[in-house]
Amino acid sequence: MTPHPAIELAGIDKSFGAVHANKNINLTVAKGSIHGIIGENGAGKSTLMSILYGFYQADRGEIRIDGKPITIRDSQTAIASGIGMVHQHFMLVENFTVLENVMLGAEGGQLLAKGVAGARKELKRLEAEYGLDVDPDAIIEELPVGKQQRVEILKALYRGAEILILDEPTGVLTPAEADHLFRILKVLRDQGKTILLITHKLREIMAITDEVSVMRRGEMVATRKTAETTVEELAELMVGRRVLLRVEKGEAQPGKVLLSVKNLTVKDSRGVTMVDDVSFDVREGEILGIAGVAGNGQSELLEAIAGIRKPTSGEILIDGQPVAGLDPARLRELGLAHIPEDRHHMGLVLKFEEYENSVLGYHRDPRYGRGALLDLDAIRKDAEEKIAKYDIRPPNPRLKTANFSGGNQQKIVVAREIERDPKMLIIGQPTRGVDIGAIEFIHRRIVEMRDAQKAVLLVSVELDEIRSLSDRIIVMFAGKVVGEATPDAGEQALGMMMAGAV
Amino acid sequence: MSTASVPLPNWISYGVLPVLNLLVAFFISGLVVWSIGENPFQALKLLIEGALGRGEAIGFTLFYTTSFIFTGLSVAVAFHAGLFNIGSEGQAYVGGLGAALVALALDHYVPWYVTMPFAVIGAALFGAAWAFIPAWLQAKRGSHVVITTIMFNFIAAALMVYLLVNVFIVPGKMAPETRTFLPGGQLPKLDWLMALFGMKLGPAPFNVSFIIALVMCYLVWLLIWRSKLGYEMRTLGISPSAAVYAGIPYSRTVIIAMLISGGLAGMMALNPVMGASARLQVEFVAGAGFVGIAVSLMGRSHPLGIVFAAFLFGILYQGGADLSFEMPNITREMIVVIQGLVILFAGALEYMFRPAVVRIYQTLSGK
Amino acid sequence: MDYFDIFVSILGSTIRLSIPLIFTALAGLFSERAGIVDIGLEGKMLAAAFAAACLAYVSGSAWIGLLGGIGISIGFSMIHGFASITNRGNQIVSGVALNFIAAGLTIVLGQAWFSQGGRTPGLTGDARFSPIILPGADFMRDVPIVGPLYANVISGNNILTYLAFAAVPLSWWILYRTRFGLRLRAVGENPAAVDTAGISVSWLRFRALIVTGILGGFAGAYLAIAQSAAFINNMSAGKGYIALAALIFAKWKPVPVMLACLLFGFLDAVANFMQGKSIPMIGEVPVQIFQALPYVLTCILLAGFIGIAHPPKAGGVPYVKER
């Protein structure tokens, strides 16, 4: 008799309100294998793993571990069933030592003294066995990210995990650290552990998995033996053959360079380089699209250009004038409009009434009131005009912004930024969480901006959107620009660049 | 689906829920009264009579109301910018110094209406100055304004006692207080206003600072809902990330909000110092700064709500004093209990009833 | 009085004045290290003092009084927990509210029950904790230097004083040597780490608040039935806030907490002693300087001018479980 598979998922289904995150998922993972799960952002990978680790309960379906059906009610059950998880954002107590973090929740008795010696011994053994070299007494916050991740793996192993789920584990690692991780994972597999690797990077899938399953829009669309598939096939499965949203647009008439980014480097608060020596130009009358899977530095790039994040080095020029380090208010005066990626936290104040949001960032403009006071009549009139022109529904400037639908909220932001008649427009994820009708509308507006000889920089993780709107495309991967393409470049070719496979 | 994300109509969010919270606070206060063997309804009747029964009583009620409007506004302004200013008490105390200095300097030479504007400015400036250090520490050094303002309350208390005992005390007198201001340094009573309603003020110290308080209500309303600065403060208070996006400078906005908050707290001193006792005394603030927290929470940080809440607390303070004569079992401190319960239910537990109300609302509206 | 006598006398009152601070600051230590900011220490102390005085008076036993103080202080802690953990309310608002409730309720109930203007009846005999004379104190008294120190500073305190000093290493031991302590420190830094380790964040925080309640009860009992012999209106007189300052000043660590409390107690003792006296060369130093010094020092520390105080990272933020 062949041994039971480590994990079997049968008919897993999960919805959040109207969002169908997982549709009838079936998955079998063989014991002692590295199984990759690949898919674009929002394909439902994380939801599935959260169900497996007890964060969410599936609406329907069965989970079998080692052939035994179980109900995973919480993380405790998952841990008890031998499932360990390495989260994308580490679940570590930063001012604790490695040993303390490993012991947390599995202390082995009321008094630490009892458990410490044993834990230390066990930790040493695990480290030796799997080549996970970390000093047990080191403080987490003083360790490099790669070692912190090893602590997460050790935590899982210490709790007797036989199945290890890693969620986008290389997102925060340098290439060398990632290679080291892969070696560790191989050792773990060879010792009989089962590994589920969630990623959107094809290179990783090809490098270390035995089998790979592809998710797309909440569905499990295929499972392949890694040895029998190709990067091209996976890219196609991942992206799918979607009907390209057609946007009517004529030839671009690019003029002079308006926005110029030179050797820009941006580090985040932890000191990790998010944007790495990026250079490009955007001309008036063109849309430059930046393609890439989320988390490859696009967000930080946009924020640096918009003045929200201070660049570490490099230059940003508007009309030849250096603007790096200027604050957002000053940049708006220079004609830079910004439709941010996250309308809930940046683009809008959800507790404000609609009209209040219609001037966010431009509230100091004299047309909205001279002197210290706001001219509410002027603002409301202005808001009403935008509501009419952009067909924002319900057409009520006094309604609280939180009560508008996603598409209408986004229209509020788009209207505000475009109606200012800026010289250049930078846009992040213009249609995330937006209904089809609003998508078309927003796309048309963006093209109109181009036709009005504005410089447009568009960041989107939706490849269709990039392809249908952009006049030129650059692809970002791991903080770097890895390639440039025209919109008629094949989806596959772009997909491979986005996955760092080129 | 969790009930937290269900939108409720405004009349429920801003009407039913706050009223429900207040009712629970008052219900528990009633239980306390009942538990010490008194009839809560009888007590309530006595309290209202004591606060509103006669012209003099109303005068006292409005005197307290005046102080609470100032401190309530002070807490509210900071709150709109996302700051919890627990330091109104100390800022009011130091504000008294500003008012007293002006009164002492001018009362020999000019009539009260000349002194008044300077006193308003003096009180506001001193109150604002006392708020400046916590504000600066929050804006530039990231020290939490709650903790620093608490510390500054105590530092203010020490400073003021020192000044009154060692600097301002009238030679030969025992009481640590300044000399009595001449009429040129006093704010006149509002007898005429009461007379309009056919009431006699008697000895109640209801004075011109009430009008200043109402003017400040209007100005605060203008600031918060009609000015660019207020817009920036509210943006910062609700969504710091949106404020960054909009290019609203953090440090400047925090500091200005705290200066205004401190200034309003400082102006509270006009009422007891220049309107009632005509001298600067030790501990004249008497907790009004803390009442401001309850008033602001109850008034939902809106000037109109603050006026009502301040009036309610004015009734409690005046009526409570009267009640303690009639029912010696119920001491004045009952007000402090009610104040605490209001803060607890209108503040910390403000969403306690939300899930239940959401369910009822959904059932009734058939959704 | 020669200088040595003054020294011994100030040292003695430093100890007495530090005890409520130590208990209260340790109480705050447990709640804040678990990520629950506690402005309500003052109220707990006051409520506990009142309950301890009442129960000691009724029962005639200081120990029952102490239990009552602990009980009411835990009760206050649980309300704080209900508001800030269960309902995810604002922890500061909740703490402020509880302080007012304690300040008012103690007087209202005190007046209603005893009709002495909010005071409770005086306690005698076993109803309060009386000084314990350590063996040999009388004999030692005449030995130079060591003698008076032993007889007047180390000996002659009540049992709660010794318990306060015992509570310091005990707190340290609980925080750093037990499973509960490890989890408590973890939940104050990163509740998500605790949650994913399969431990209930809420229950852990509630347990931390129970410890806070117990220690707050000791602080109150000390005030009313050990240091004094009755509950007096507002007898905590801001000590809860000084303790909070000491907690920050000690950077949320047990032994430094004790040292900070001793320092602030010492300043208080000096202030009392200096009343109306002048120092050679300097002249009369206003007592208010000593009163304000704990707060000034804490603000300077908070501003990062003398080392940096890193509060527990998750402090003040309600934990919302999310992916």
Side-chain angles (χ1 to χ4, degrees), chain C residues 80-105:
Chain C
H80 189 46
F82 177 70
S84 58
I85 303 171
T86 313
N87 280 290
R88 299 192 192 121
N90 185 317
Q91 298 171 8
I92 291 157
V93 174
S94 164
V96 169
L98 289 170
N99 284 345
F100 283 125
I101 292 173
L105 211 51

Side-chain angles (χ1 to χ4, degrees), chain B residues 172-358:
Chain B
K173 287 251 179 96
M174 284 302 289
E177 56 188 33
T178 63
R179 68 168 170 83
T180 305
F181 309 147
L182 303 174
Q186 297 184 13
L187 295 176
K189 291 189 189 180
L190 290 174
D191 324 57
W192 54 271
L193 187 63
M194 296 295 283
L196 281 184
F197 297 94
M199 282 181 286
K200 275 216 172 72
L201 190 54
F206 176 48
N207 64 80
V208 167
S209 26
F210 178 69
I211 294 170
I212 303 174
L214 293 184
V215 170
M216 287 306 146
C217 280
Y218 174 71
L219 290 180
V220 166
W221 175 81
L222 209 59
L223 166 77
I224 301 293
W225 280 281
R226 288 293 180 274
S227 81
K228 295 174 180 175
L229 177 64
Y231 179 89
E232 296 186 336
M233 282 166 45
R234 284 186 297 133
T235 305
L236 179 65
I238 300 171
S239 173
S241 52
V244 172
Y245 162 79
I248 294 165
Y250 173 78
S251 296
R252 199 191 72 186
T253 313
V254 162
I255 290 177
I256 293 179
M258 278 299 286
L259 290 180
I260 295 171
S261 174
L264 287 163
M267 281 184 232
M268 171 270 168
L270 299 168
N271 189 38
V273 174
M274 291 176 68
S277 59
R279 70 191 85 134
L280 185 62
Q281 292 170 305
V282 173
E283 283 177 13
F284 72 87
V285 185
F290 296 120
V291 180
I293 298 170
V295 165
S296 174
L297 285 170
M298 200 174 139
R300 300 252 131 186
S301 302
H302 190 289
L304 204 61
I306 286 169
V307 171
F308 280 114
F311 184 58
L312 188 92
F313 272 96
I315 291 174
L316 285 175
Y317 267 71
Q318 168 54 24
D322 236 45
L323 177 64
S324 61
F325 284 114
E326 305 276 342
M327 286 185 176
N329 249 349
I330 304 176
T331 61
R332 281 199 68 172
E333 280 71 17
M334 188 63 217
I335 311 157
V336 182
V337 178
I338 299 174
Q339 188 179 320
L341 290 168
V342 166
I343 297 177
L344 186 67
F345 285 97
L349 289 169
E350 70 180 313
Y351 300 120
M352 183 168 63
F353 297 111
R354 200 174 188 281
V357 169
V358 164

